[in-house]
Amino acid sequence: MDLTRAAAEALDDADPLAGFRSRFAGASDDGPDRLLYLDGNSLGRLPVATSAALARVVEEQWGEGLVGSWASWIGEATRIGDVLADGVLGARPGEVLVGDSTSVNLYKLLMAGVDARPGRDVLVCTADDFPTDRYIVGGVADSRGMTVREIAADIDEGLDPAVLAEALDERVAVVVLSHVAYRSGALADVVAITRLVQASGALVLWDLSHSVGAVPVELGAAGADLAVGCTYKYLNGGPGAPAFLYVRRELQDQLRSPIRGWFGHRDQFAMGPSYDPAAGIERFGVGTPPVLAMAAVEVGAALIAEAGVARLAVKGRAVTDLMVALADEWLAPSGVALASPRQAGRRGSHVTFAHPAAWQLTQALIDRRVVPDFRTPERVRLGPAPLYTRFVDVWDAMDRFRTVLDERAFEGYPAERARVT
Amino acid sequence: MDLTRAAAEALDDADPLAGFRSRFAGASDDGPDRLLYLDGNSLGRLPVATSAALARVVEEQWGEGLVGSWASWIGEATRIGDVLADGVLGARPGEVLVGDSTSVNLYKLLMAGVDARPGRDVLVCTADDFPTDRYIVGGVADSRGMTVREIAADIDEGLDPAVLAEALDERVAVVVLSHVAYRSGALADVVAITRLVQASGALVLWDLSHSVGAVPVELGAAGADLAVGCTYKYLNGGPGAPAFLYVRRELQDQLRSPIRGWFGHRDQFAMGPSYDPAAGIERFGVGTPPVLAMAAVEVGAALIAEAGVARLAVKGRAVTDLMVALADEWLAPSGVALASPRQAGRRGSHVTFAHPAAWQLTQALIDRRVVPDFRTPERVRLGPAPLYTRFVDVWDAMDRFRTVLDERAFEGYPAERARVT
């Protein structure tokens, strides 16, 4: 690979997604001291269209339309869900609902899945999954008198399906797994693992938070059962934006939400005496969705659907390949080790590096206007967003990273960790 | 009472809250054909300051500050909670958390309350409570093998504590009640009922959705255990705005959320192996809160705190008294019956009327730019918001209501009900 900056510029010139950069606030800056934002995997950038969309919802719909605007808001959770289903998740209309947080959605589907597998008393997750996933699995298991099998996943290389296979038997009700590992970016094989889990009679519940909008998610083709995911990362829906949930159509009638809110009712405004769950995906709704936040999700989801996940994945692999190649050349000699799968097809769109002073390196990079994030243990995580991160952004970020290492600038930072996001 | 329009104008001239009208979009219009919005008890008006606050969060904090803005967002749920605790709910700092929907919060506290009363297998609610409350109570009871005692509450006059007393015994774990009844506006006696329930050894969980920001809520003085509430009604937080939950400080250590999300963890960014709940109210957090929607809640909550609940309650009683007096004079002869407590001290800030053609009347009023809402069975609900509804707004609305009746204009509307909010 040609590792010159000119080569990176040439890749940008040939990037079919280049036109999308101008659709994001701040992403077109090309000054030498510009902010190099490599944390779109944590909080995606602001789409330029979001402000106007929000102003319309706030000033016209809320301010002027007042309560009458519920005529359009009422269908928002499924309308945005369908945009995600069709344009991003490879699912069918009526299989995706937007609302609540990823954690709440995970809880709802996990409880519903347990109820749909009576007599089975084991939940499976990986010991390395994102904390909220593990905590929720543990909480559900405790409350239902179930056992959790936390299986080993290599924190850099991800889950080996053979290890998972050993944990599956007729006692397992639901398996909770992340599609892309939050720390290493390791990509799980959704098709193979779904088949494996289903063969054991269990349900599989995918957390797509770190993959959606960056790598192809073909829920329909994989025959996936259940999924949840975040909209504030690659989907650029804004801080804490409402999450989504997916339930395969054929399963919807068999599952019931543990939280019987009025937005999951078949006829919520009849306000009748008993709870009668809606026929389709709406049965997994609970309370009134946060309309302002939903409006921002709609803009972000539509942008990703417009760009197309296939193109995003190609760009994601190329831009992380460049990052890995530059790290081999510039960072490895200073003791920075790749902590993600080396093969692009086995990664999402972020790459993680290990170094004993990862915490100090993170602080030094931020002071040099490179935004990565720190993850335990001793990892620096860099997430180029395929939709708006340029190849030269990666080149320049790695160049600043190299300088921090070469000048040992990170040594001036305190090793003691502050509370970080 | 002087029922002339001039008398209503005189009441407006003397209204100490009059200055707040200009703080809400559209509320200062005084043209003869203006919209008379009497549904602030369903969706409160847009505060003028909200657009700028949102623009700051979107463009400066998200657009420019990016992930670094979590330094200020991270404390938002308790910061806004403290504004509500101190300024609106009569609670102490650290007793209120903002986030999730009212339904999800009700579920969390109800499940936690059941766990805190082991050996008790009955939940109590009223047969007339807001649907989502009854549905969630039923769902929790089913999942825990408990029984629900749905006690009778007069749908116009509200709950008689003597009826509640009969339902209380050593089997009752949690009692779920609304402070102000969603249909009639009947006000429950929080102090007396809390004492009654606590004497039986049960916990009481108040739904404050229809009272908060309109009538005094003195959770601390009442020694209330648990509460949840909505921020998009009198708190003017915007459509579907994140709700709040309250747990009395002394109870917090004894209660655990059934949904163990990372925002309820003692040290969420340590991302450690096991779930260790936060020490205080934060243990009831779950996923990442919707920051954009939270920003609008902050504006609305601060406005109510600034106005002061005591003044709002005085205005609310006066404005609904005027409404009742005008209805007696103008509407009762046409068969419109008061379906709320007649005594102002026994009401929240909305008044409900019964008429066999309530659905058609609602449509006719909307066409004449009066916005009430319809509630089963055959009720028209009118909610003047003390902070921005004038006495003359009520006078003019009742005048248009009278005209609709006198001209029998409502008879031209279809009796078949559409889906309504």
PDB file of all heavy atoms in Angstrom, chain A residues 44 51 59 62 107 132 134 232 260 262 269 273 288 420, chain B residues 44 51 59 62 107 132 134-135 232 262 269 273 288 420:
ATOM      1  N   GLY A  44     -22.084  10.144  16.526  1.00  0.00           N
ATOM      2  CA  GLY A  44     -21.963  10.591  15.137  1.00  0.00           C
ATOM      3  C   GLY A  44     -22.100  12.095  15.023  1.00  0.00           C
ATOM      4  O   GLY A  44     -22.679  12.758  15.888  1.00  0.00           O
ATOM      5  N   SER A  51     -30.883  20.553  12.013  1.00  0.00           N
ATOM      6  CA  SER A  51     -31.356  21.783  12.663  1.00  0.00           C
ATOM      7  C   SER A  51     -32.680  22.241  12.073  1.00  0.00           C
ATOM      8  O   SER A  51     -33.616  22.601  12.802  1.00  0.00           O
ATOM      9  CB  SER A  51     -30.315  22.897  12.523  1.00  0.00           C
ATOM     10  OG  SER A  51     -29.159  22.552  13.256  1.00  0.00           O
ATOM     11  N   GLU A  59     -41.058  24.455  16.057  1.00  0.00           N
ATOM     12  CA  GLU A  59     -41.798  25.712  15.865  1.00  0.00           C
ATOM     13  C   GLU A  59     -43.123  25.520  15.133  1.00  0.00           C
ATOM     14  O   GLU A  59     -44.133  26.086  15.540  1.00  0.00           O
ATOM     15  CB  GLU A  59     -40.898  26.745  15.193  1.00  0.00           C
ATOM     16  CG  GLU A  59     -39.921  27.313  16.223  1.00  0.00           C
ATOM     17  CD  GLU A  59     -38.695  27.988  15.622  1.00  0.00           C
ATOM     18  OE1 GLU A  59     -38.841  28.627  14.571  1.00  0.00           O
ATOM     19  OE2 GLU A  59     -37.600  27.848  16.216  1.00  0.00           O
ATOM     20  N   TRP A  62     -44.996  21.587  16.990  1.00  0.00           N
ATOM     21  CA  TRP A  62     -45.332  21.762  18.400  1.00  0.00           C
ATOM     22  C   TRP A  62     -45.896  23.166  18.640  1.00  0.00           C
ATOM     23  O   TRP A  62     -47.016  23.332  19.126  1.00  0.00           O
ATOM     24  CB  TRP A  62     -44.104  21.478  19.259  1.00  0.00           C
ATOM     25  CG  TRP A  62     -44.249  21.755  20.744  1.00  0.00           C
ATOM     26  CD1 TRP A  62     -45.409  21.954  21.456  1.00  0.00           C
ATOM     27  CD2 TRP A  62     -43.170  21.859  21.688  1.00  0.00           C
ATOM     28  NE1 TRP A  62     -45.116  22.169  22.781  1.00  0.00           N
ATOM     29  CE2 TRP A  62     -43.759  22.113  22.959  1.00  0.00           C
ATOM     30  CE3 TRP A  62     -41.789  21.758  21.593  1.00  0.00           C
ATOM     31  CZ2 TRP A  62     -42.981  22.274  24.111  1.00  0.00           C
ATOM     32  CZ3 TRP A  62     -41.010  21.916  22.747  1.00  0.00           C
ATOM     33  CH2 TRP A  62     -41.609  22.166  23.986  1.00  0.00           C
ATOM     34  N   TYR A 107     -33.835  -5.170  27.217  1.00  0.00           N
ATOM     35  CA  TYR A 107     -34.591  -5.773  28.319  1.00  0.00           C
ATOM     36  C   TYR A 107     -35.932  -6.315  27.831  1.00  0.00           C
ATOM     37  O   TYR A 107     -36.311  -7.449  28.140  1.00  0.00           O
ATOM     38  CB  TYR A 107     -34.795  -4.720  29.420  1.00  0.00           C
ATOM     39  CG  TYR A 107     -35.641  -5.206  30.575  1.00  0.00           C
ATOM     40  CD1 TYR A 107     -35.080  -5.962  31.603  1.00  0.00           C
ATOM     41  CD2 TYR A 107     -36.998  -4.911  30.640  1.00  0.00           C
ATOM     42  CE1 TYR A 107     -35.862  -6.411  32.665  1.00  0.00           C
ATOM     43  CE2 TYR A 107     -37.777  -5.352  31.691  1.00  0.00           C
ATOM     44  CZ  TYR A 107     -37.204  -6.106  32.703  1.00  0.00           C
ATOM     45  OH  TYR A 107     -37.974  -6.544  33.751  1.00  0.00           O
ATOM     46  N   THR A 132     -23.670  -2.726  29.430  1.00  0.00           N
ATOM     47  CA  THR A 132     -25.116  -2.684  29.664  1.00  0.00           C
ATOM     48  C   THR A 132     -25.770  -3.992  29.220  1.00  0.00           C
ATOM     49  O   THR A 132     -26.727  -4.466  29.836  1.00  0.00           O
ATOM     50  CB  THR A 132     -25.745  -1.437  28.982  1.00  0.00           C
ATOM     51  OG1 THR A 132     -26.859  -0.982  29.740  1.00  0.00           O
ATOM     52  CG2 THR A 132     -26.174  -1.699  27.544  1.00  0.00           C
ATOM     53  N   ARG A 134     -24.400  -7.051  29.312  1.00  0.00           N
ATOM     54  CA  ARG A 134     -24.120  -8.065  30.334  1.00  0.00           C
ATOM     55  C   ARG A 134     -24.925  -7.802  31.598  1.00  0.00           C
ATOM     56  O   ARG A 134     -25.454  -8.726  32.226  1.00  0.00           O
ATOM     57  CB  ARG A 134     -22.630  -8.097  30.654  1.00  0.00           C
ATOM     58  CG  ARG A 134     -21.788  -8.661  29.516  1.00  0.00           C
ATOM     59  CD  ARG A 134     -20.320  -8.801  29.916  1.00  0.00           C
ATOM     60  NE  ARG A 134     -19.630  -7.518  29.932  1.00  0.00           N
ATOM     61  CZ  ARG A 134     -19.273  -6.824  31.008  1.00  0.00           C
ATOM     62  NH1 ARG A 134     -19.545  -7.291  32.207  1.00  0.00           N
ATOM     63  NH2 ARG A 134     -18.652  -5.676  30.906  1.00  0.00           N
ATOM     64  N   TYR A 232     -27.316   6.711  17.733  1.00  0.00           N
ATOM     65  CA  TYR A 232     -26.496   7.920  17.902  1.00  0.00           C
ATOM     66  C   TYR A 232     -25.048   7.738  17.488  1.00  0.00           C
ATOM     67  O   TYR A 232     -24.251   8.652  17.624  1.00  0.00           O
ATOM     68  CB  TYR A 232     -26.607   8.506  19.305  1.00  0.00           C
ATOM     69  CG  TYR A 232     -26.302   7.608  20.490  1.00  0.00           C
ATOM     70  CD1 TYR A 232     -25.001   7.268  20.818  1.00  0.00           C
ATOM     71  CD2 TYR A 232     -27.325   7.172  21.320  1.00  0.00           C
ATOM     72  CE1 TYR A 232     -24.729   6.493  21.934  1.00  0.00           C
ATOM     73  CE2 TYR A 232     -27.071   6.387  22.428  1.00  0.00           C
ATOM     74  CZ  TYR A 232     -25.767   6.047  22.736  1.00  0.00           C
ATOM     75  OH  TYR A 232     -25.506   5.279  23.835  1.00  0.00           O
ATOM     76  N   ARG A 260     -46.125  -3.318  29.678  1.00  0.00           N
ATOM     77  CA  ARG A 260     -47.351  -3.157  28.905  1.00  0.00           C
ATOM     78  C   ARG A 260     -47.817  -1.706  28.889  1.00  0.00           C
ATOM     79  O   ARG A 260     -48.781  -1.348  29.572  1.00  0.00           O
ATOM     80  CB  ARG A 260     -48.452  -4.044  29.496  1.00  0.00           C
ATOM     81  CG  ARG A 260     -48.091  -5.517  29.475  1.00  0.00           C
ATOM     82  CD  ARG A 260     -49.295  -6.348  29.854  1.00  0.00           C
ATOM     83  NE  ARG A 260     -48.895  -7.717  30.179  1.00  0.00           N
ATOM     84  CZ  ARG A 260     -49.662  -8.570  30.847  1.00  0.00           C
ATOM     85  NH1 ARG A 260     -50.862  -8.197  31.266  1.00  0.00           N
ATOM     86  NH2 ARG A 260     -49.244  -9.793  31.109  1.00  0.00           N
ATOM     87  N   TRP A 262     -49.207   1.924  27.065  1.00  0.00           N
ATOM     88  CA  TRP A 262     -50.330   2.215  26.168  1.00  0.00           C
ATOM     89  C   TRP A 262     -49.912   2.334  24.719  1.00  0.00           C
ATOM     90  O   TRP A 262     -50.737   2.145  23.830  1.00  0.00           O
ATOM     91  CB  TRP A 262     -51.112   3.424  26.660  1.00  0.00           C
ATOM     92  CG  TRP A 262     -50.438   4.766  26.594  1.00  0.00           C
ATOM     93  CD1 TRP A 262     -49.138   5.047  26.853  1.00  0.00           C
ATOM     94  CD2 TRP A 262     -51.063   6.010  26.254  1.00  0.00           C
ATOM     95  NE1 TRP A 262     -48.910   6.398  26.716  1.00  0.00           N
ATOM     96  CE2 TRP A 262     -50.075   7.012  26.350  1.00  0.00           C
ATOM     97  CE3 TRP A 262     -52.354   6.379  25.906  1.00  0.00           C
ATOM     98  CZ2 TRP A 262     -50.343   8.360  26.088  1.00  0.00           C
ATOM     99  CZ3 TRP A 262     -52.610   7.723  25.645  1.00  0.00           C
ATOM    100  CH2 TRP A 262     -51.613   8.689  25.739  1.00  0.00           C
ATOM    101  N   PHE A 269     -56.236   4.566  22.251  1.00  0.00           N
ATOM    102  CA  PHE A 269     -57.114   5.654  22.672  1.00  0.00           C
ATOM    103  C   PHE A 269     -58.530   5.195  23.033  1.00  0.00           C
ATOM    104  O   PHE A 269     -59.364   5.991  23.446  1.00  0.00           O
ATOM    105  CB  PHE A 269     -57.113   6.775  21.639  1.00  0.00           C
ATOM    106  CG  PHE A 269     -55.764   7.428  21.563  1.00  0.00           C
ATOM    107  CD1 PHE A 269     -54.940   7.232  20.479  1.00  0.00           C
ATOM    108  CD2 PHE A 269     -55.302   8.187  22.624  1.00  0.00           C
ATOM    109  CE1 PHE A 269     -53.676   7.800  20.428  1.00  0.00           C
ATOM    110  CE2 PHE A 269     -54.046   8.761  22.589  1.00  0.00           C
ATOM    111  CZ  PHE A 269     -53.219   8.571  21.488  1.00  0.00           C
ATOM    112  N   PRO A 273     -60.445  -1.424  29.410  1.00  0.00           N
ATOM    113  CA  PRO A 273     -60.107  -1.978  30.722  1.00  0.00           C
ATOM    114  C   PRO A 273     -58.891  -2.903  30.709  1.00  0.00           C
ATOM    115  O   PRO A 273     -58.158  -2.969  31.686  1.00  0.00           O
ATOM    116  CB  PRO A 273     -61.368  -2.742  31.127  1.00  0.00           C
ATOM    117  CG  PRO A 273     -62.093  -3.017  29.852  1.00  0.00           C
ATOM    118  CD  PRO A 273     -61.751  -1.905  28.918  1.00  0.00           C
ATOM    119  N   THR A 288     -45.041   7.284  25.500  1.00  0.00           N
ATOM    120  CA  THR A 288     -44.993   8.252  24.414  1.00  0.00           C
ATOM    121  C   THR A 288     -43.539   8.469  23.982  1.00  0.00           C
ATOM    122  O   THR A 288     -42.695   8.785  24.806  1.00  0.00           O
ATOM    123  CB  THR A 288     -45.590   9.593  24.893  1.00  0.00           C
ATOM    124  OG1 THR A 288     -46.790   9.311  25.618  1.00  0.00           O
ATOM    125  CG2 THR A 288     -45.904  10.494  23.726  1.00  0.00           C
ATOM    126  N   VAL A 420     -14.665   9.070  32.122  1.00  0.00           N
ATOM    127  CA  VAL A 420     -14.637   9.357  30.689  1.00  0.00           C
ATOM    128  C   VAL A 420     -15.860   8.765  30.009  1.00  0.00           C
ATOM    129  O   VAL A 420     -16.525   7.884  30.530  1.00  0.00           O
ATOM    130  CB  VAL A 420     -13.385   8.759  30.013  1.00  0.00           C
ATOM    131  CG1 VAL A 420     -12.151   9.540  30.385  1.00  0.00           C
ATOM    132  CG2 VAL A 420     -13.229   7.290  30.358  1.00  0.00           C
TER     133      VAL A 420
ATOM    134  N   GLY B  44     -48.374  20.634  26.577  1.00  0.00           N
ATOM    135  CA  GLY B  44     -48.161  22.037  26.930  1.00  0.00           C
ATOM    136  C   GLY B  44     -47.607  22.818  25.753  1.00  0.00           C
ATOM    137  O   GLY B  44     -47.002  22.265  24.839  1.00  0.00           O
ATOM    138  N   SER B  51     -36.504  27.020  21.619  1.00  0.00           N
ATOM    139  CA  SER B  51     -35.815  26.942  20.315  1.00  0.00           C
ATOM    140  C   SER B  51     -34.341  27.296  20.448  1.00  0.00           C
ATOM    141  O   SER B  51     -33.472  26.606  19.907  1.00  0.00           O
ATOM    142  CB  SER B  51     -36.486  27.874  19.302  1.00  0.00           C
ATOM    143  OG  SER B  51     -37.791  27.430  19.041  1.00  0.00           O
ATOM    144  N   GLU B  59     -26.395  22.753  17.784  1.00  0.00           N
ATOM    145  CA  GLU B  59     -25.319  23.303  16.949  1.00  0.00           C
ATOM    146  C   GLU B  59     -23.998  23.466  17.693  1.00  0.00           C
ATOM    147  O   GLU B  59     -22.949  23.114  17.170  1.00  0.00           O
ATOM    148  CB  GLU B  59     -25.780  24.606  16.304  1.00  0.00           C
ATOM    149  CG  GLU B  59     -26.733  24.280  15.151  1.00  0.00           C
ATOM    150  CD  GLU B  59     -27.611  25.443  14.706  1.00  0.00           C
ATOM    151  OE1 GLU B  59     -27.140  26.591  14.756  1.00  0.00           O
ATOM    152  OE2 GLU B  59     -28.780  25.182  14.328  1.00  0.00           O
ATOM    153  N   TRP B  62     -23.561  19.528  20.290  1.00  0.00           N
ATOM    154  CA  TRP B  62     -23.409  18.336  19.441  1.00  0.00           C
ATOM    155  C   TRP B  62     -22.532  18.665  18.224  1.00  0.00           C
ATOM    156  O   TRP B  62     -21.497  18.039  17.989  1.00  0.00           O
ATOM    157  CB  TRP B  62     -24.777  17.810  19.027  1.00  0.00           C
ATOM    158  CG  TRP B  62     -24.803  16.670  18.055  1.00  0.00           C
ATOM    159  CD1 TRP B  62     -23.746  15.846  17.693  1.00  0.00           C
ATOM    160  CD2 TRP B  62     -25.934  16.210  17.299  1.00  0.00           C
ATOM    161  NE1 TRP B  62     -24.189  14.913  16.768  1.00  0.00           N
ATOM    162  CE2 TRP B  62     -25.516  15.116  16.503  1.00  0.00           C
ATOM    163  CE3 TRP B  62     -27.267  16.624  17.218  1.00  0.00           C
ATOM    164  CZ2 TRP B  62     -26.382  14.438  15.645  1.00  0.00           C
ATOM    165  CZ3 TRP B  62     -28.133  15.944  16.366  1.00  0.00           C
ATOM    166  CH2 TRP B  62     -27.687  14.858  15.590  1.00  0.00           C
ATOM    167  N   TYR B 107     -42.960   1.204  35.546  1.00  0.00           N
ATOM    168  CA  TYR B 107     -42.577  -0.214  35.577  1.00  0.00           C
ATOM    169  C   TYR B 107     -41.364  -0.430  36.485  1.00  0.00           C
ATOM    170  O   TYR B 107     -41.366  -1.337  37.332  1.00  0.00           O
ATOM    171  CB  TYR B 107     -42.272  -0.681  34.149  1.00  0.00           C
ATOM    172  CG  TYR B 107     -41.777  -2.102  34.067  1.00  0.00           C
ATOM    173  CD1 TYR B 107     -42.669  -3.170  34.064  1.00  0.00           C
ATOM    174  CD2 TYR B 107     -40.413  -2.389  34.002  1.00  0.00           C
ATOM    175  CE1 TYR B 107     -42.223  -4.483  33.984  1.00  0.00           C
ATOM    176  CE2 TYR B 107     -39.958  -3.694  33.927  1.00  0.00           C
ATOM    177  CZ  TYR B 107     -40.864  -4.740  33.922  1.00  0.00           C
ATOM    178  OH  TYR B 107     -40.418  -6.033  33.855  1.00  0.00           O
ATOM    179  N   THR B 132     -52.304   3.272  30.774  1.00  0.00           N
ATOM    180  CA  THR B 132     -50.946   2.710  30.835  1.00  0.00           C
ATOM    181  C   THR B 132     -50.611   2.271  32.250  1.00  0.00           C
ATOM    182  O   THR B 132     -49.919   1.268  32.471  1.00  0.00           O
ATOM    183  CB  THR B 132     -49.915   3.698  30.242  1.00  0.00           C
ATOM    184  OG1 THR B 132     -48.852   2.971  29.611  1.00  0.00           O
ATOM    185  CG2 THR B 132     -49.369   4.662  31.272  1.00  0.00           C
ATOM    186  N   ARG B 134     -52.762   1.097  34.542  1.00  0.00           N
ATOM    187  CA  ARG B 134     -53.445  -0.168  34.815  1.00  0.00           C
ATOM    188  C   ARG B 134     -52.813  -1.320  34.043  1.00  0.00           C
ATOM    189  O   ARG B 134     -52.648  -2.425  34.566  1.00  0.00           O
ATOM    190  CB  ARG B 134     -54.930  -0.051  34.443  1.00  0.00           C
ATOM    191  CG  ARG B 134     -55.708   0.849  35.386  1.00  0.00           C
ATOM    192  CD  ARG B 134     -57.190   0.867  35.062  1.00  0.00           C
ATOM    193  NE  ARG B 134     -57.498   1.649  33.867  1.00  0.00           N
ATOM    194  CZ  ARG B 134     -57.824   1.164  32.676  1.00  0.00           C
ATOM    195  NH1 ARG B 134     -57.887  -0.146  32.485  1.00  0.00           N
ATOM    196  NH2 ARG B 134     -58.084   1.974  31.676  1.00  0.00           N
ATOM    197  N   TYR B 135     -52.420  -1.053  32.807  1.00  0.00           N
ATOM    198  CA  TYR B 135     -51.810  -2.117  32.002  1.00  0.00           C
ATOM    199  C   TYR B 135     -50.486  -2.571  32.623  1.00  0.00           C
ATOM    200  O   TYR B 135     -50.176  -3.752  32.664  1.00  0.00           O
ATOM    201  CB  TYR B 135     -51.551  -1.637  30.571  1.00  0.00           C
ATOM    202  CG  TYR B 135     -52.765  -1.159  29.810  1.00  0.00           C
ATOM    203  CD1 TYR B 135     -52.629  -0.266  28.748  1.00  0.00           C
ATOM    204  CD2 TYR B 135     -54.045  -1.605  30.126  1.00  0.00           C
ATOM    205  CE1 TYR B 135     -53.729   0.172  28.024  1.00  0.00           C
ATOM    206  CE2 TYR B 135     -55.155  -1.159  29.407  1.00  0.00           C
ATOM    207  CZ  TYR B 135     -54.992  -0.263  28.365  1.00  0.00           C
ATOM    208  OH  TYR B 135     -56.080   0.176  27.645  1.00  0.00           O
ATOM    209  N   TYR B 232     -44.502  16.558  29.611  1.00  0.00           N
ATOM    210  CA  TYR B 232     -44.977  17.232  28.388  1.00  0.00           C
ATOM    211  C   TYR B 232     -46.348  17.872  28.536  1.00  0.00           C
ATOM    212  O   TYR B 232     -46.873  18.412  27.584  1.00  0.00           O
ATOM    213  CB  TYR B 232     -44.926  16.297  27.172  1.00  0.00           C
ATOM    214  CG  TYR B 232     -45.639  14.965  27.240  1.00  0.00           C
ATOM    215  CD1 TYR B 232     -47.028  14.871  27.156  1.00  0.00           C
ATOM    216  CD2 TYR B 232     -44.905  13.793  27.337  1.00  0.00           C
ATOM    217  CE1 TYR B 232     -47.659  13.647  27.180  1.00  0.00           C
ATOM    218  CE2 TYR B 232     -45.533  12.549  27.364  1.00  0.00           C
ATOM    219  CZ  TYR B 232     -46.914  12.482  27.284  1.00  0.00           C
ATOM    220  OH  TYR B 232     -47.545  11.269  27.294  1.00  0.00           O
ATOM    221  N   TRP B 262     -26.404   0.548  32.021  1.00  0.00           N
ATOM    222  CA  TRP B 262     -25.115   1.136  32.427  1.00  0.00           C
ATOM    223  C   TRP B 262     -25.266   2.523  33.028  1.00  0.00           C
ATOM    224  O   TRP B 262     -24.406   2.958  33.784  1.00  0.00           O
ATOM    225  CB  TRP B 262     -24.121   1.087  31.280  1.00  0.00           C
ATOM    226  CG  TRP B 262     -24.401   1.976  30.083  1.00  0.00           C
ATOM    227  CD1 TRP B 262     -25.596   2.240  29.511  1.00  0.00           C
ATOM    228  CD2 TRP B 262     -23.425   2.682  29.305  1.00  0.00           C
ATOM    229  NE1 TRP B 262     -25.443   3.049  28.420  1.00  0.00           N
ATOM    230  CE2 TRP B 262     -24.116   3.339  28.264  1.00  0.00           C
ATOM    231  CE3 TRP B 262     -22.036   2.804  29.369  1.00  0.00           C
ATOM    232  CZ2 TRP B 262     -23.462   4.120  27.307  1.00  0.00           C
ATOM    233  CZ3 TRP B 262     -21.393   3.584  28.416  1.00  0.00           C
ATOM    234  CH2 TRP B 262     -22.096   4.226  27.408  1.00  0.00           C
ATOM    235  N   PHE B 269     -18.269   3.949  33.435  1.00  0.00           N
ATOM    236  CA  PHE B 269     -17.198   3.895  32.445  1.00  0.00           C
ATOM    237  C   PHE B 269     -16.036   3.000  32.850  1.00  0.00           C
ATOM    238  O   PHE B 269     -15.100   2.804  32.088  1.00  0.00           O
ATOM    239  CB  PHE B 269     -16.747   5.300  32.055  1.00  0.00           C
ATOM    240  CG  PHE B 269     -17.840   6.040  31.338  1.00  0.00           C
ATOM    241  CD1 PHE B 269     -18.537   7.063  31.947  1.00  0.00           C
ATOM    242  CD2 PHE B 269     -18.219   5.650  30.065  1.00  0.00           C
ATOM    243  CE1 PHE B 269     -19.580   7.708  31.294  1.00  0.00           C
ATOM    244  CE2 PHE B 269     -19.262   6.282  29.401  1.00  0.00           C
ATOM    245  CZ  PHE B 269     -19.941   7.319  30.022  1.00  0.00           C
ATOM    246  N   PRO B 273     -16.955  -6.048  35.304  1.00  0.00           N
ATOM    247  CA  PRO B 273     -17.640  -7.310  35.023  1.00  0.00           C
ATOM    248  C   PRO B 273     -19.045  -7.406  35.616  1.00  0.00           C
ATOM    249  O   PRO B 273     -19.904  -8.058  35.033  1.00  0.00           O
ATOM    250  CB  PRO B 273     -16.717  -8.366  35.637  1.00  0.00           C
ATOM    251  CG  PRO B 273     -15.893  -7.635  36.640  1.00  0.00           C
ATOM    252  CD  PRO B 273     -15.757  -6.232  36.151  1.00  0.00           C
ATOM    253  N   THR B 288     -28.679   5.556  27.747  1.00  0.00           N
ATOM    254  CA  THR B 288     -28.297   6.942  27.498  1.00  0.00           C
ATOM    255  C   THR B 288     -29.559   7.790  27.318  1.00  0.00           C
ATOM    256  O   THR B 288     -30.403   7.476  26.497  1.00  0.00           O
ATOM    257  CB  THR B 288     -27.448   7.016  26.222  1.00  0.00           C
ATOM    258  OG1 THR B 288     -26.483   5.958  26.251  1.00  0.00           O
ATOM    259  CG2 THR B 288     -26.740   8.337  26.123  1.00  0.00           C
ATOM    260  N   VAL B 420     -58.026   9.081  18.127  1.00  0.00           N
ATOM    261  CA  VAL B 420     -57.749  10.420  18.653  1.00  0.00           C
ATOM    262  C   VAL B 420     -56.646  10.367  19.696  1.00  0.00           C
ATOM    263  O   VAL B 420     -56.352   9.315  20.262  1.00  0.00           O
ATOM    264  CB  VAL B 420     -58.995  11.039  19.311  1.00  0.00           C
ATOM    265  CG1 VAL B 420     -60.012  11.432  18.277  1.00  0.00           C
ATOM    266  CG2 VAL B 420     -59.612  10.085  20.325  1.00  0.00           C
TER     267      VAL B 420
END
